[in-house]
């Protein structure tokens, strides 16, 4: 059975909730990623921010990214899957919440990787991928 551990991009990076958005953008550029999970002081995920969030919710709203923290930008309950989640669980989580990136956590609730559309494209059959795209982008 294929699990999140098999599909995810491991060694992904996160950002502390207290870090500024300009630093988040720098890390996204450095690691060539479009999203970073946000963690509290115990390295537990409290949310996720995307490059689009920084542009739309900070820059376009007239805020200074050097003054706004990652924690301030996070909204709602973060979505994630456990490292041993199977493909059906992963797709259900992404489809039901219409998300394109899904953090993966270990037994200690620590961030260990990220599943993106690219990761899914490599792991799913053509039919599964077509269904995913239709449900997420509908």
């Amino acid at each position: 059975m294929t699990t999140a551990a098999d599909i995810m991009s491991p060694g992904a990076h996160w950002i502390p909730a207290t870090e500024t958005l300009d630093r988040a953008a720098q890390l996204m550029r450095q690691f060539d990623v479009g999203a970073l999970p946000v963690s509290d002081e115990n390295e537990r995920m409290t949310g996720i921010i995307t490059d689009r969030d920084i542009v739309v919710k900070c820059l376009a709203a007239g805020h200074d990214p050097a003054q706004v923290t990652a924690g301030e930008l996070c909204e709602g309950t973060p979505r994630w899957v456990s490292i041993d989640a199977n493909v059906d669980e992963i797709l259900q989580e992404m489809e039901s919440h219409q998300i394109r990136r899904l953090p993966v956590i270990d037994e200690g609730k620590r961030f260990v990787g990220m599943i993106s559309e690219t990761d899914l494209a490599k792991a799913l059959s053509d039919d599964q991928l077509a269904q995913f795209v239709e449900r997420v982008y509908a």
Side-chain angles (χ1 to χ4, degrees):
M1 172 196 299
T2 303
T3 67
D6 301 319
I7 297 173
M8 72 180 192
S9 294
H13 304 278
W14 55 268
I15 189 165
T18 55
E19 192 62 80
T20 59
L21 295 181
D22 61 340
R23 182 64 183 139
Q26 293 165 1
L27 289 171
M28 287 179 189
R29 181 185 62 207
Q30 177 183 343
F31 298 120
D32 193 26
V33 297
L36 289 171
V38 179
S39 72
D40 65 15
E41 62 278 355
N42 297 318
E43 295 185 11
R44 295 189 188 245
M45 190 174 63
T46 59
I48 188 169
I49 58 170
T50 66
D51 47 6
R52 186 175 191 283
D53 290 335
I54 294 170
V55 171
V56 173
K57 296 177 183 176
C58 180
L59 296 174
H63 302 294
D64 179 358
Q67 300 299 317
V68 179
T69 66
E72 291 174 286
L73 200 67
C74 291
E75 296 177 347
T77 304
R79 308 309 310 173
W80 50 268
V81 292
S82 69
I83 198 164
D84 59 353
N86 65 42
V87 172
D88 291 335
E89 293 169 307
I90 294 164
L91 293 176
Q92 172 62 33
E93 188 68 22
M94 294 177 85
E95 290 169 2
S96 65
H97 298 285
Q98 292 192 315
I99 55 178
R100 291 171 262 177
R101 298 175 183 104
L102 187 62
V104 180
I105 62 168
D106 66 13
E107 297 80 19
K109 305 262 190 241
R110 293 203 174 20
F111 175 63
V112 294
M114 184 78 78
I115 296 174
S116 69
E117 294 167 304
T118 302
D119 298 319
L120 290 177
K122 294 175 187 174
L124 300 179
S125 70
D126 289 344
D127 288 341
Q128 286 175 308
L129 188 58
Q131 288 175 359
F132 168 78
V133 169
E134 181 179 324
R135 291 178 181 147
V136 170
Y137 291 97

